[in-house]
Amino acid sequence: MADRYELIVFDWDGTLMDSAAAIVAAILGACRDLNLPEPSEERARHVIGLGLSDALHYAVPELAVADYPRMAERYRHHYLAKDRELTLFPGAFEMVAELSGAGRLLAVATGKSSLGLKRALEHSKLGDFFHTTRCADQCFSKPHPAMLEEIMDELGVGRERTLMVGDTTHDLQMARNAGVRGLGVAFGAHQRSSLEQESPLAVVETPGELAAWLRANA
């Protein structure tokens, strides 16, 4: 394994957890519950990785701010109905375990809430591998650099030794804003063409390619 990056920060949904489809379904279900126009699947997928308030503003522009709590409640209702059925991408557990065993510092930066990530880490059994996490209810939402800046400060790692891995343009924009290199994964929420526009180190097509790239380059 290469030794270019001391700290590797992962997005969660669509990068480690195969949850993008469930998030889209929950957004559409919440819209139906509130008799709102349903966004296209592409528009719904675009907001994955953002904090819930920013996501609702983009995905459902017709929604009045006063109705955000009700929309959020319906979104959580639909998402939690499928929560325990969600699984990690194939090989994700082994990949994270290998990186940990090689001495890498590992972290998560996600648009999930702290409670949602805690539940996901416990369910996936990955919690013990991560040294710290940042969620959208703890600091500014992506693509603001705060999540990465706080993680680097906490773990004492410089920008040049940090890598951000994510499946959305929000992840790669956050990396750029923080002065960190980014690696895109095209098996989550956003298409390869969109990820490539953010000039990542590379874009990988499958979970297996992600593990191989990290083994060879990180």
Side-chain angles (χ1 to χ4, degrees), residues 15-141:
T15 300
L16 294 176
M17 181 70 76
D18 188 4
S19 50
I23 293 172
V24 170
I27 292 172
L28 299 182
C31 287
R32 288 192 295 271
D33 291 348
L34 272 63
N35 295 314
L36 291 166
E38 294 180 30
S40 66
E41 180 173 339
E42 180 180 1
R43 192 174 186 89
R45 291 180 78 88
H46 178 79
V47 306
I48 294 174
L50 297 177
L52 189 54
S53 179
D54 290 341
L56 294 178
H57 177 73
Y58 181 87
V60 195
E62 304 88 352
L63 183 66
V65 174
D67 291 330
Y68 276 25
R70 188 169 170 229
M71 179 74 176
E73 186 278 325
R74 296 316 299 164
Y75 166 82
R76 293 189 182 98
H77 168 80
H78 288 286
Y79 184 81
L80 290 174
K82 298 291 185 181
D83 192 32
R84 289 295 177 177
E85 300 174 15
L86 300 177
T87 61
L88 296 171
F89 283 108
F93 184 94
E94 293 79 6
M95 175 187 68
V96 171
E98 180 180 350
L99 290 168
S100 178
R104 299 296 188 272
L105 294 174
L106 303 177
V108 174
T110 176
K112 299 180 85 66
S113 68
S114 301
L115 181 60
L117 180 60
K118 180 177 184 292
R119 187 170 55 245
L121 288 172
E122 290 174 351
H123 178 58
S124 66
K125 310 299 184 187
L126 280 182
D128 289 343
F129 293 116
F130 291 104
H131 296 82
T132 192
T133 64
R134 286 299 185 280
C135 299
D137 58 354
Q138 295 175 308
C139 52
F140 290 108
S141 179

